[in-house]
Amino acid sequence: MLYKLATRKHIFVEIYIADICTCSKQAPFLLGSDFLLWHILICSIKMPEGPELHLASLYVNKMCDGVVFSGPVIKSEVSKNPEVAFTCDSFRITATSRGKEVKLTLTPMKSDDDGKRRSKGGQADQHMDIVFRFGMSGYFRFTSEDEVPKHAHLRFYTKEKPRRVLSFVDTRRFGSWQPNGTWQPDRGPCIMFEYKSFRENVLSHLSDRAFDRPICEVLLNQKYFNGIGNYLRAEILYRLNIPPFVCARDALEGLELEDEFEDGKPVKDEITDTKTPERAKKKGMKREAGDVLRLCHTVPLEVVSLGGKGYDPEKMDYSAFEAWLRCYYVDGMKSVRDHNGRTMWFKGDPGPMAPKDSKSPKTKKRAKKDDDHDYTEKKKVAKTMKESTTKKRVVKKETPKKEKPTHPKEVVSKRGKAEKTQEETQQSETKSSARKKKNSSVEAAAGRERRSGRVTRKNSK
DNA sequence: CGTCCACGTCTAC
DNA sequence: TAGACCTGGACGG
């Protein structure tokens, strides 16, 4: 499977071969193709739920281990986020994550020069924390200087000769950062790495009006579920067969404050099950063992264990993650817009608090009075998903738009070779981005075997 | 070409 | 409880 992946993505492999060579010392525990694979997968993280934010922090720590950065931190012109006033001759970068936030720590290195204090940057001695939120499209990427991706809105440059760059990339610019920031105070404990306090925080506040809402909507409340996002809520509720629109308090009260869940074991079992579907799914029994709160912890950790292929339909290897999904965006599942307009994926009974009006996501804003049958199953539009590579030559110009007409400098450094590589990458993406409601019987095309396998497994249930 | 949709917050009626 | 904030891919005509 690993090799299949590597083969399919050979273009990408080539693109990053340079990075791998220069950075391989950072991951001595990984050898040869394993490192290659790790690198590839980790590079594909561009999506914002708890697991991906954590993987992003791992990525930064891995890639920047031993790397010396220097100079000012550069913000793109178009970004409305604050400038990062940090200039230092030599500093290191480390990262940590908590729920749906990542904190970068810039640490000045001990300069042996005695009297020579850095006159330039006043705060050269002081480390700085920058707290990031990823919005819908944020991710970190460490590249050579001329391979800085489009939409790299904050950049940290290395000190060495041919410089390299750690970039915060954010296509849609919904992401944000705060220099000298702290974890956002209103966000609860991390669902993955502060399980005990997360659990306590929820169970000790069940009288909060927030829990009057349907469970699926409360799961997106970062005050209590810091790290849960739209795909995770679907997967968690699906595994326990909890109707998404039951009152959250009803679903949560009665749970024990203490959960002697042992880290590692359940997660491991879970993974094993995934790899041996014939065993696990035989009797249609989903022995997930655990309540909602525990699954809010273990399910995200499964994604972390997948090794880096987080949610990212458009980019890179998506197949393993796609295969992991059992409900979100899966053929045969139902979907409804919740009260906040977010698509909730589920199976079976929607629950008593389901929105009465907006049935399917299609009926967003349109007064379209088309026949409103109940919660629409995902229609299987048997459309031949032929390789729509026809539009590949559409070299999009990527104009910085108006927003800052005076400074059309948004264009980072993408020209010549860099630009080409980008485009090649995108092309390979479009090919493998088979998502949507393709009928599984139709494809037969390459690159879908994993997903097909998953669907089959499901159906056989 | 246009419409719909997307992994998330934010703030303003 | 609506928009607002954004870009870009898929799909329809």
Side-chain angles (χ1 to χ4, degrees):
Chain A
M1 146 191 130
L2 303 186
Y3 294 125
K4 180 179 65 183
L5 164 63
T7 305
R8 271 178 49 209
K9 301 300 173 183
H10 65 283
I11 295 176
F12 196 78
V13 171
E14 289 169 9
I15 291 171
Y16 283 95
I17 207 78
D19 280 350
I20 292 162
C21 292
T22 52
C23 303
S24 56
K25 67 177 164 89
Q26 271 83 285
F29 56 96
L30 293 174
L31 303 174
S33 62
D34 282 346
F35 179 88
L36 191 71
L37 194 62
W38 172 83
H39 184 96
I40 293 163
L41 299 180
I42 219 74
C43 277
S44 73
I45 299 168
K46 311 176 166 66
M47 42 332 208
E49 294 190 24
E52 291 78 20
L53 276 278
H54 178 65
L55 287 165
S57 75
L58 295 184
Y59 173 77
V60 169
N61 287 333
K62 209 64 76 177
M63 302 306 289
C64 298
D65 179 38
V67 175
V68 179
F69 290 82
S70 183
V73 181
I74 304 299
K75 185 183 79 66
S76 76
E77 293 287 341
V78 290
S79 172
K80 293 168 182 166
N81 282 305
E83 294 282 351
V84 175
F86 183 88
T87 299
C88 183
D89 185 59
S90 303
F91 64 97
R92 298 191 186 281
I93 298 179
T94 56
T96 55
S97 78
R98 177 180 187 261
K100 251 182 264 185
E101 294 182 307
V102 166
K103 177 161 66 186
L104 290 195
T105 299
L106 316 183
T107 307
M109 296 173 68
K110 286 282 182 279
S111 53
D112 296 328
D113 57 64
D114 18 12
K116 281 294 186 186
R117 179 71 344 120
R118 280 237 54 77
S119 51
K120 262 307 220 168
Q123 63 282 69
D125 288 331
Q126 206 69 320
H127 77 89
M128 178 189 271
D129 287 336
I130 310 174
V131 173
F132 291 80
R133 260 155 276 137
F134 280 16
M136 296 281 265
S137 57
Y139 62 99
F140 283 106
R141 178 89 140 233
F142 190 58
T143 67
S144 66
E145 200 169 0
D146 50 349
E147 286 177 330
V148 169
K150 201 162 132 183
H151 308 299
H153 294 302
L154 195 65
R155 305 190 294 278
F156 306 83
Y157 290 84
T158 64
K159 189 173 185 175
E160 24 165 47
K161 186 66 180 319
R163 296 197 297 179
R164 287 178 291 167
V165 188
L166 177 68
S167 302
F168 175 64
V169 188
D170 183 12
T171 305
R172 298 180 68 182
R173 275 182 265 152
F174 291 171
S176 63
W177 65 77
Q178 300 174 265
N180 299 309
T182 56
W183 302 128
Q184 204 168 242
D186 288 340
R187 307 185 77 103
C190 179
I191 48 156
M192 292 173 294
F193 304 109
E194 300 172 280
Y195 177 52
K196 191 173 167 60
S197 48
F198 150 69
R199 195 175 171 93
E200 289 170 357
N201 185 44
V202 171
L203 293 178
S204 63
H205 289 90
L206 285 184
S207 56
D208 189 329
R209 293 287 307 277
F211 293 96
D212 293 350
R213 321 238 70 224
I215 182 68
C216 72
E217 292 171 18
V218 174
L219 284 178
L220 294 186
N221 185 339
Q222 302 299 298
K223 184 175 178 181
Y224 295 109
F225 296 89
N226 187 8
I228 300 295
N230 205 26
Y231 81 73
L232 284 172
R233 70 168 179 175
E235 295 300 315
I236 290 164
L237 295 178
Y238 170 82
R239 294 202 188 182
L240 293 173
N241 244 306
I242 297 175
F245 294 94
V246 295
C247 176
R249 189 175 296 104
D250 294 345
L252 292 168
E253 67 189 352
L255 300 190
E256 296 294 328
L257 195 58
E258 288 292 322
D259 178 15
E260 42 276 8
F261 163 74
E262 289 280 335
D263 273 295
K265 190 154 189 272
V267 175
K268 260 196 170 132
D269 290 350
E270 202 53 51
I271 292 169
T272 309
D273 283 357
T274 304
K275 283 184 171 161
T276 57
E278 71 283 354
R279 189 198 69 178
K281 308 302 169 195
K282 235 346 173 345
K283 306 298 186 185
M285 49 161 203
K286 33 184 57 192
R287 185 77 51 263
E288 297 295 354
D291 55 39
V292 205
L293 294 180
R294 186 193 291 182
L295 287 208
C296 285
H297 172 64
T298 57
V299 171
L301 285 179
E302 286 179 29
V303 179
V304 172
S305 300
L306 284 179
K309 318 151 274 260
Y311 183 104
D312 187 5
E314 261 64 73
K315 308 286 180 194
M316 298 311 305
D317 171 61
Y318 176 63
S319 60
F321 176 72
E322 187 179 50
W324 175 85
L325 290 172
R326 303 183 193 177
C327 178
Y328 181 81
Y329 233 115
V330 169
D331 281 346
M333 297 296 140
K334 300 172 185 172
S335 64
V336 185
R337 297 241 178 220
D338 68 15
H339 295 284
N340 301 308
R342 303 271 254 141
T343 302
M344 178 66 216
W345 290 86
F346 65 102
K347 188 173 96 173
D349 179 21
M353 300 176 79
K356 293 304 176 206
D357 49 336
S358 80
K359 306 289 188 182
S360 107
K362 278 294 189 225
T363 62
K364 178 184 184 177
K365 189 70 174 216
R366 42 180 61 202
K368 197 68 183 303
K369 174 58 181 81
D370 55 3
D371 55 327
D372 272 355
H373 35 290
D374 270 7
Y375 309 90
T376 63
E377 294 269 343
K378 243 357 194 188
K379 300 280 170 61
K380 312 206 165 190
V381 187
K383 49 176 68 255
T384 40
M385 268 311 269
K386 73 260 192 91
E387 310 283 304
S388 61
T389 52
T390 53
K391 57 183 67 173
K392 65 180 183 182
R393 275 301 151 214
V394 185
V395 190
K396 287 249 193 157
K397 221 38 166 310
E398 197 249 315
T399 50
K401 281 300 166 56
K402 59 282 300 279
E403 34 188 309
K404 210 99 178 210
T406 49
H407 289 290
K409 296 178 58 180
E410 143 80 335
V411 201
V412 183
S413 68
K414 43 136 200 87
R415 19 147 270 289
K417 178 188 165 195
E419 183 171 13
K420 213 214 233 102
T421 36
Q422 252 178 237
E423 256 164 77
E424 281 175 331
T425 307
Q426 274 159 263
Q427 284 172 29
S428 75
E429 291 157 9
T430 48
K431 250 186 242 204
S432 64
S433 71
R435 201 153 190 46
K436 289 291 95 165
K437 51 272 179 165
K438 297 167 322 251
N439 189 334
S440 54
S441 66
V442 182
E443 69 260 18
R448 302 252 295 111
E449 52 278 10
R450 298 211 102 235
R451 180 179 169 78
S452 299
R454 173 168 55 80
V455 172
T456 304
R457 192 173 82 222
K458 249 175 158 10
N459 293 342
S460 73
K461 207 165 23 158

